[in-house]
Amino acid sequence: MSDAGDRHLPRPALIESYGDGGFRFGDLSHRGSVLCLPNGIWAIPPTTADAIGEAEIDRVIAAEPPVEYLLIGAGMVPWPVPEPLRARLRQHGIVVESMTTGAAVRTWNLLLVERRRVGAVLIAVD
């Protein structure tokens, strides 16, 4: 991934593996959480789903092509998506679902192969 500040891979990629606090994708290894979108994969600071902030959600909403379905890989336990967040995403035509990080990685890979406009916030797990 490129320099800190806005480190990203400028294209979507299948997640090859996850665990040990990070992810492997696009022949790269990244330690920490990631935001996967149709136009790239970004390093993000949240270490829990509760820490997902405006910066991550704003990037999802602004993605080109637009995201239709957002997966939240919340770690080892699914996270109940707060209704205000769900409503905000719905206003932009985005359906959101939370699940474990492992399930979100598998679903991201499947939907990416199907060429769906999917996004994923993936919280790193050990």
Side-chain angles (χ1 to χ4, degrees):
M1 302 219 316
S2 60
D3 278 295
D6 194 27
R7 294 176 37 199
H8 76 284
L9 178 68
R11 62 179 171 78
L14 294 174
I15 304 296
E16 299 157 12
S17 65
Y18 69 95
D20 294 328
F23 301 88
R24 286 195 56 73
F25 54 87
D27 295 325
L28 300 171
S29 179
H30 171 73
R31 191 143 181 85
S33 301
V34 293
L35 173 61
C36 305
L37 296 172
N39 58 344
I41 300 179
W42 282 262
I44 58 172
T47 57
T48 66
D50 286 332
I52 297 168
E54 292 296 317
E56 292 81 28
I57 299 306
D58 288 347
R59 193 176 293 258
V60 169
I61 290 169
E64 284 298 328
V67 170
E68 295 176 324
Y69 191 70
L70 177 65
L71 308 168
I72 297 177
M76 299 303 288
V77 179
W79 174 70
V81 179
E83 188 52 39
L85 174 57
R86 189 178 297 280
R88 179 171 179 214
L89 291 166
R90 190 179 311 122
Q91 288 175 338
H92 294 277
I94 302 169
V95 175
V96 62
E97 186 168 342
S98 176
M99 56 195 72
T100 64
T101 294
V105 165
R106 291 185 295 277
T107 305
W108 160 262
N109 285 343
L110 176 68
L111 295 177
L112 187 62
V113 167
E114 291 180 352
R115 297 183 166 279
R116 303 277 302 275
R117 292 187 309 198
V118 63
V121 176
L122 302 173
I123 302 300
V125 295
D126 290 327

Short mmCIF file of all heavy atoms in Angstrom, two decimals, residues 47-96:
data_model
loop_
_atom_site.label_atom_id
_atom_site.label_comp_id
_atom_site.label_asym_id
_atom_site.label_seq_id
_atom_site.Cartn_x
_atom_site.Cartn_y
_atom_site.Cartn_z
N THR A 47 -10.27 -0.22 15.22
CA THR A 47 -9.91 -1.57 15.66
C THR A 47 -11.13 -2.32 16.19
O THR A 47 -11.04 -3.50 16.52
CB THR A 47 -8.83 -1.52 16.76
OG1 THR A 47 -9.31 -0.72 17.84
CG2 THR A 47 -7.53 -0.93 16.22
N THR A 48 -12.27 -1.62 16.27
CA THR A 48 -13.55 -2.23 16.63
C THR A 48 -14.63 -1.61 15.73
O THR A 48 -14.44 -0.51 15.20
CB THR A 48 -13.94 -1.96 18.09
OG1 THR A 48 -14.17 -0.56 18.26
CG2 THR A 48 -12.87 -2.44 19.07
N ALA A 49 -15.74 -2.30 15.58
CA ALA A 49 -16.84 -1.76 14.77
C ALA A 49 -17.38 -0.47 15.37
O ALA A 49 -17.75 0.45 14.63
CB ALA A 49 -17.94 -2.80 14.62
N ASP A 50 -17.40 -0.36 16.69
CA ASP A 50 -17.87 0.87 17.33
C ASP A 50 -17.03 2.09 16.95
O ASP A 50 -17.50 3.21 17.05
CB ASP A 50 -17.86 0.73 18.85
CG ASP A 50 -18.99 -0.15 19.36
OD1 ASP A 50 -20.05 -0.22 18.70
OD2 ASP A 50 -18.81 -0.78 20.42
N ALA A 51 -15.79 1.85 16.53
CA ALA A 51 -14.88 2.96 16.19
C ALA A 51 -15.00 3.39 14.72
O ALA A 51 -14.32 4.33 14.31
CB ALA A 51 -13.45 2.57 16.51
N ILE A 52 -15.85 2.72 13.94
CA ILE A 52 -16.04 3.15 12.55
C ILE A 52 -16.63 4.55 12.59
O ILE A 52 -17.64 4.80 13.25
CB ILE A 52 -16.98 2.19 11.79
CG1 ILE A 52 -16.34 0.80 11.72
CG2 ILE A 52 -17.30 2.73 10.40
CD1 ILE A 52 -17.28 -0.29 11.24
N GLY A 53 -15.97 5.48 11.90
CA GLY A 53 -16.36 6.88 12.00
C GLY A 53 -16.83 7.49 10.69
O GLY A 53 -16.99 6.83 9.67
N GLU A 54 -17.02 8.79 10.76
CA GLU A 54 -17.50 9.56 9.61
C GLU A 54 -16.57 9.43 8.41
O GLU A 54 -17.03 9.36 7.27
CB GLU A 54 -17.65 11.04 9.99
CG GLU A 54 -18.76 11.30 10.98
CD GLU A 54 -20.13 10.94 10.44
OE1 GLU A 54 -20.43 11.28 9.28
OE2 GLU A 54 -20.90 10.31 11.19
N ALA A 55 -15.26 9.40 8.64
CA ALA A 55 -14.31 9.34 7.52
C ALA A 55 -14.54 8.08 6.70
O ALA A 55 -14.56 8.13 5.46
CB ALA A 55 -12.87 9.40 8.04
N GLU A 56 -14.73 6.95 7.36
CA GLU A 56 -14.96 5.70 6.64
C GLU A 56 -16.31 5.71 5.92
O GLU A 56 -16.40 5.34 4.75
CB GLU A 56 -14.88 4.50 7.60
CG GLU A 56 -13.50 4.24 8.17
CD GLU A 56 -13.13 5.14 9.34
OE1 GLU A 56 -14.03 5.59 10.09
OE2 GLU A 56 -11.92 5.39 9.50
N ILE A 57 -17.34 6.18 6.60
CA ILE A 57 -18.68 6.19 6.01
C ILE A 57 -18.74 7.20 4.86
O ILE A 57 -19.34 6.92 3.82
CB ILE A 57 -19.75 6.49 7.08
CG1 ILE A 57 -19.73 5.39 8.16
CG2 ILE A 57 -21.13 6.64 6.46
CD1 ILE A 57 -19.86 3.96 7.65
N ASP A 58 -18.11 8.35 5.02
CA ASP A 58 -18.09 9.34 3.94
C ASP A 58 -17.41 8.77 2.69
O ASP A 58 -17.85 9.00 1.56
CB ASP A 58 -17.37 10.62 4.37
CG ASP A 58 -18.18 11.45 5.36
OD1 ASP A 58 -19.39 11.17 5.54
OD2 ASP A 58 -17.59 12.36 5.97
N ARG A 59 -16.34 8.01 2.89
CA ARG A 59 -15.64 7.41 1.74
C ARG A 59 -16.53 6.37 1.06
O ARG A 59 -16.54 6.27 -0.16
CB ARG A 59 -14.32 6.78 2.17
CG ARG A 59 -13.44 6.43 0.96
CD ARG A 59 -12.09 5.90 1.37
NE ARG A 59 -11.25 6.86 2.02
CZ ARG A 59 -10.25 7.53 1.45
NH1 ARG A 59 -9.98 7.33 0.18
NH2 ARG A 59 -9.52 8.37 2.14
N VAL A 60 -17.29 5.61 1.83
CA VAL A 60 -18.23 4.63 1.25
C VAL A 60 -19.27 5.37 0.41
O VAL A 60 -19.54 4.99 -0.73
CB VAL A 60 -18.93 3.80 2.36
CG1 VAL A 60 -20.08 2.98 1.78
CG2 VAL A 60 -17.93 2.89 3.06
N ILE A 61 -19.85 6.41 0.97
CA ILE A 61 -20.91 7.16 0.27
C ILE A 61 -20.38 7.81 -1.00
O ILE A 61 -21.08 7.88 -2.01
CB ILE A 61 -21.54 8.19 1.23
CG1 ILE A 61 -22.36 7.45 2.30
CG2 ILE A 61 -22.40 9.20 0.47
CD1 ILE A 61 -22.82 8.31 3.45
N ALA A 62 -19.14 8.27 -0.99
CA ALA A 62 -18.56 8.97 -2.13
C ALA A 62 -17.95 8.04 -3.17
O ALA A 62 -17.50 8.51 -4.22
CB ALA A 62 -17.50 9.96 -1.64
N ALA A 63 -17.91 6.74 -2.92
CA ALA A 63 -17.23 5.80 -3.83
C ALA A 63 -17.80 5.87 -5.24
O ALA A 63 -19.00 6.03 -5.44
CB ALA A 63 -17.35 4.38 -3.29
N GLU A 64 -16.91 5.75 -6.21
CA GLU A 64 -17.28 5.66 -7.63
C GLU A 64 -16.60 4.44 -8.21
O GLU A 64 -15.37 4.36 -8.14
CB GLU A 64 -16.84 6.92 -8.38
CG GLU A 64 -17.72 8.12 -8.13
CD GLU A 64 -19.16 7.92 -8.59
OE1 GLU A 64 -19.40 7.19 -9.59
OE2 GLU A 64 -20.06 8.47 -7.95
N PRO A 65 -17.35 3.50 -8.76
CA PRO A 65 -18.80 3.50 -8.85
C PRO A 65 -19.45 3.38 -7.48
O PRO A 65 -18.81 2.91 -6.54
CB PRO A 65 -19.11 2.28 -9.72
CG PRO A 65 -17.92 1.40 -9.61
CD PRO A 65 -16.75 2.29 -9.32
N PRO A 66 -20.71 3.81 -7.37
CA PRO A 66 -21.37 3.81 -6.07
C PRO A 66 -21.53 2.42 -5.47
O PRO A 66 -21.76 1.45 -6.19
CB PRO A 66 -22.75 4.42 -6.35
CG PRO A 66 -22.69 4.97 -7.72
CD PRO A 66 -21.55 4.32 -8.43
N VAL A 67 -21.42 2.35 -4.17
CA VAL A 67 -21.62 1.10 -3.43
C VAL A 67 -23.12 0.87 -3.26
O VAL A 67 -23.86 1.79 -2.93
CB VAL A 67 -20.93 1.19 -2.04
CG1 VAL A 67 -21.32 0.03 -1.15
CG2 VAL A 67 -19.42 1.28 -2.21
N GLU A 68 -23.55 -0.37 -3.50
CA GLU A 68 -24.95 -0.74 -3.28
C GLU A 68 -25.12 -1.54 -1.99
O GLU A 68 -26.20 -1.52 -1.40
CB GLU A 68 -25.46 -1.59 -4.44
CG GLU A 68 -25.52 -0.84 -5.75
CD GLU A 68 -25.95 -1.73 -6.90
OE1 GLU A 68 -25.58 -2.92 -6.92
OE2 GLU A 68 -26.65 -1.21 -7.78
N TYR A 69 -24.06 -2.25 -1.60
CA TYR A 69 -24.15 -3.16 -0.47
C TYR A 69 -22.88 -3.02 0.35
O TYR A 69 -21.78 -3.18 -0.19
CB TYR A 69 -24.29 -4.59 -1.01
CG TYR A 69 -24.66 -5.63 0.00
CD1 TYR A 69 -25.92 -5.66 0.58
CD2 TYR A 69 -23.74 -6.59 0.37
CE1 TYR A 69 -26.25 -6.63 1.50
CE2 TYR A 69 -24.07 -7.57 1.30
CZ TYR A 69 -25.33 -7.58 1.86
OH TYR A 69 -25.66 -8.54 2.78
N LEU A 70 -23.00 -2.68 1.65
CA LEU A 70 -21.84 -2.52 2.53
C LEU A 70 -21.83 -3.63 3.56
O LEU A 70 -22.80 -3.83 4.29
CB LEU A 70 -21.87 -1.16 3.23
CG LEU A 70 -20.73 -0.93 4.23
CD1 LEU A 70 -19.38 -0.88 3.51
CD2 LEU A 70 -20.97 0.35 5.02
N LEU A 71 -20.72 -4.34 3.62
CA LEU A 71 -20.49 -5.37 4.62
C LEU A 71 -19.65 -4.78 5.74
O LEU A 71 -18.67 -4.07 5.46
CB LEU A 71 -19.73 -6.54 4.01
CG LEU A 71 -20.29 -7.13 2.73
CD1 LEU A 71 -19.28 -8.06 2.09
CD2 LEU A 71 -21.59 -7.85 3.03
N ILE A 72 -20.00 -5.06 6.96
CA ILE A 72 -19.15 -4.68 8.09
C ILE A 72 -18.67 -5.96 8.74
O ILE A 72 -19.46 -6.72 9.31
CB ILE A 72 -19.88 -3.77 9.09
CG1 ILE A 72 -20.26 -2.46 8.41
CG2 ILE A 72 -19.00 -3.52 10.32
CD1 ILE A 72 -21.05 -1.50 9.28
N GLY A 73 -17.38 -6.23 8.60
CA GLY A 73 -16.75 -7.36 9.26
C GLY A 73 -16.28 -6.87 10.62
O GLY A 73 -15.27 -6.18 10.73
N ALA A 74 -17.06 -7.18 11.65
CA ALA A 74 -16.93 -6.55 12.95
C ALA A 74 -15.97 -7.23 13.91
O ALA A 74 -15.97 -6.94 15.09
CB ALA A 74 -18.30 -6.45 13.60
N GLY A 75 -15.16 -8.14 13.41
CA GLY A 75 -14.25 -8.87 14.30
C GLY A 75 -14.76 -10.28 14.49
O GLY A 75 -15.22 -10.92 13.56
N MET A 76 -14.71 -10.76 15.71
CA MET A 76 -15.09 -12.14 16.00
C MET A 76 -16.59 -12.29 16.28
O MET A 76 -17.11 -13.41 16.29
CB MET A 76 -14.30 -12.67 17.20
CG MET A 76 -12.79 -12.68 16.96
SD MET A 76 -12.27 -13.64 15.52
CE MET A 76 -12.56 -15.28 16.13
N VAL A 77 -17.28 -11.19 16.54
CA VAL A 77 -18.71 -11.22 16.89
C VAL A 77 -19.45 -10.21 16.04
O VAL A 77 -19.00 -9.06 15.91
CB VAL A 77 -18.89 -10.88 18.40
CG1 VAL A 77 -20.35 -10.89 18.79
CG2 VAL A 77 -18.10 -11.84 19.28
N PRO A 78 -20.60 -10.58 15.45
CA PRO A 78 -21.37 -9.59 14.68
C PRO A 78 -21.73 -8.39 15.55
O PRO A 78 -21.89 -8.51 16.77
CB PRO A 78 -22.62 -10.35 14.26
CG PRO A 78 -22.24 -11.79 14.31
CD PRO A 78 -21.22 -11.89 15.44
N TRP A 79 -21.86 -7.27 14.92
CA TRP A 79 -22.12 -6.00 15.59
C TRP A 79 -23.47 -5.47 15.13
O TRP A 79 -23.71 -5.41 13.91
CB TRP A 79 -21.00 -5.04 15.20
CG TRP A 79 -21.08 -3.63 15.64
CD1 TRP A 79 -20.97 -3.15 16.90
CD2 TRP A 79 -21.23 -2.48 14.80
NE1 TRP A 79 -21.04 -1.78 16.91
CE2 TRP A 79 -21.20 -1.35 15.61
CE3 TRP A 79 -21.39 -2.31 13.42
CZ2 TRP A 79 -21.33 -0.05 15.11
CZ3 TRP A 79 -21.52 -1.03 12.92
CH2 TRP A 79 -21.49 0.08 13.77
N PRO A 80 -24.36 -5.11 16.03
CA PRO A 80 -25.65 -4.55 15.60
C PRO A 80 -25.45 -3.15 15.02
O PRO A 80 -24.97 -2.25 15.71
CB PRO A 80 -26.50 -4.53 16.87
CG PRO A 80 -25.52 -4.57 18.00
CD PRO A 80 -24.27 -5.23 17.49
N VAL A 81 -25.78 -2.97 13.76
CA VAL A 81 -25.59 -1.68 13.09
C VAL A 81 -26.56 -0.68 13.71
O VAL A 81 -27.78 -0.91 13.72
CB VAL A 81 -25.84 -1.80 11.57
CG1 VAL A 81 -25.68 -0.45 10.89
CG2 VAL A 81 -24.92 -2.83 10.95
N PRO A 82 -26.06 0.44 14.24
CA PRO A 82 -26.95 1.44 14.83
C PRO A 82 -27.93 1.97 13.78
O PRO A 82 -27.56 2.19 12.62
CB PRO A 82 -26.00 2.55 15.30
CG PRO A 82 -24.66 1.88 15.42
CD PRO A 82 -24.64 0.81 14.37
N GLU A 83 -29.17 2.17 14.18
CA GLU A 83 -30.20 2.62 13.24
C GLU A 83 -29.84 3.93 12.54
O GLU A 83 -30.09 4.07 11.35
CB GLU A 83 -31.57 2.72 13.94
CG GLU A 83 -32.70 3.00 12.97
CD GLU A 83 -32.77 2.04 11.78
OE1 GLU A 83 -32.52 0.84 11.93
OE2 GLU A 83 -33.07 2.52 10.66
N PRO A 84 -29.24 4.93 13.23
CA PRO A 84 -28.87 6.16 12.50
C PRO A 84 -27.88 5.89 11.35
O PRO A 84 -27.99 6.50 10.29
CB PRO A 84 -28.24 7.05 13.58
CG PRO A 84 -28.85 6.58 14.86
CD PRO A 84 -29.02 5.08 14.67
N LEU A 85 -26.94 4.98 11.55
CA LEU A 85 -26.00 4.64 10.49
C LEU A 85 -26.72 3.91 9.36
O LEU A 85 -26.53 4.22 8.18
CB LEU A 85 -24.86 3.78 11.03
CG LEU A 85 -23.88 3.23 9.99
CD1 LEU A 85 -23.24 4.36 9.17
CD2 LEU A 85 -22.81 2.38 10.66
N ARG A 86 -27.56 2.97 9.72
CA ARG A 86 -28.34 2.23 8.71
C ARG A 86 -29.19 3.19 7.89
O ARG A 86 -29.23 3.11 6.65
CB ARG A 86 -29.22 1.19 9.40
CG ARG A 86 -29.90 0.23 8.45
CD ARG A 86 -30.72 -0.82 9.21
NE ARG A 86 -29.93 -1.68 10.05
CZ ARG A 86 -29.23 -2.72 9.64
NH1 ARG A 86 -29.21 -3.03 8.36
NH2 ARG A 86 -28.55 -3.47 10.49
N ALA A 87 -29.86 4.14 8.55
CA ALA A 87 -30.72 5.11 7.86
C ALA A 87 -29.90 6.03 6.95
O ALA A 87 -30.31 6.33 5.83
CB ALA A 87 -31.51 5.93 8.88
N ARG A 88 -28.74 6.47 7.42
CA ARG A 88 -27.88 7.35 6.61
C ARG A 88 -27.46 6.63 5.33
O ARG A 88 -27.49 7.21 4.23
CB ARG A 88 -26.66 7.79 7.40
CG ARG A 88 -25.75 8.68 6.58
CD ARG A 88 -24.66 9.30 7.41
NE ARG A 88 -23.82 10.10 6.54
CZ ARG A 88 -22.53 10.25 6.69
NH1 ARG A 88 -21.91 9.68 7.71
NH2 ARG A 88 -21.83 10.98 5.86
N LEU A 89 -27.03 5.39 5.45
CA LEU A 89 -26.61 4.64 4.27
C LEU A 89 -27.80 4.39 3.34
O LEU A 89 -27.67 4.49 2.12
CB LEU A 89 -25.94 3.33 4.70
CG LEU A 89 -24.58 3.50 5.38
CD1 LEU A 89 -24.16 2.22 6.06
CD2 LEU A 89 -23.53 3.98 4.39
N ARG A 90 -28.95 4.07 3.92
CA ARG A 90 -30.17 3.83 3.12
C ARG A 90 -30.51 5.06 2.28
O ARG A 90 -30.96 4.92 1.13
CB ARG A 90 -31.33 3.46 4.04
CG ARG A 90 -32.56 2.96 3.29
CD ARG A 90 -33.71 2.57 4.23
NE ARG A 90 -33.29 1.71 5.31
CZ ARG A 90 -33.45 1.99 6.61
NH1 ARG A 90 -34.00 3.12 7.00
NH2 ARG A 90 -33.04 1.14 7.53
N GLN A 91 -30.30 6.26 2.82
CA GLN A 91 -30.56 7.50 2.06
C GLN A 91 -29.73 7.57 0.79
O GLN A 91 -30.10 8.26 -0.16
CB GLN A 91 -30.25 8.74 2.91
CG GLN A 91 -31.22 9.00 4.01
CD GLN A 91 -30.77 10.17 4.88
OE1 GLN A 91 -29.60 10.53 4.93
NE2 GLN A 91 -31.73 10.79 5.55
N HIS A 92 -28.63 6.86 0.76
CA HIS A 92 -27.74 6.85 -0.40
C HIS A 92 -27.87 5.55 -1.20
O HIS A 92 -27.02 5.24 -2.04
CB HIS A 92 -26.29 7.06 0.06
CG HIS A 92 -26.07 8.41 0.65
ND1 HIS A 92 -25.84 9.54 -0.11
CD2 HIS A 92 -26.11 8.83 1.94
CE1 HIS A 92 -25.71 10.57 0.68
NE2 HIS A 92 -25.87 10.17 1.93
N GLY A 93 -28.94 4.80 -0.92
CA GLY A 93 -29.20 3.57 -1.65
C GLY A 93 -28.28 2.42 -1.29
O GLY A 93 -28.10 1.49 -2.08
N ILE A 94 -27.70 2.47 -0.09
CA ILE A 94 -26.74 1.44 0.35
C ILE A 94 -27.38 0.57 1.44
O ILE A 94 -27.83 1.08 2.46
CB ILE A 94 -25.45 2.08 0.90
CG1 ILE A 94 -24.79 2.96 -0.18
CG2 ILE A 94 -24.48 1.00 1.40
CD1 ILE A 94 -23.67 3.83 0.34
N VAL A 95 -27.39 -0.73 1.20
CA VAL A 95 -27.85 -1.70 2.20
C VAL A 95 -26.64 -2.11 3.01
O VAL A 95 -25.57 -2.38 2.44
CB VAL A 95 -28.48 -2.93 1.50
CG1 VAL A 95 -28.85 -4.00 2.51
CG2 VAL A 95 -29.68 -2.51 0.68
N VAL A 96 -26.77 -2.18 4.33
CA VAL A 96 -25.64 -2.53 5.19
C VAL A 96 -25.96 -3.79 5.99
O VAL A 96 -27.10 -3.99 6.40
CB VAL A 96 -25.25 -1.36 6.13
CG1 VAL A 96 -26.39 -1.00 7.07
CG2 VAL A 96 -23.99 -1.67 6.91
#
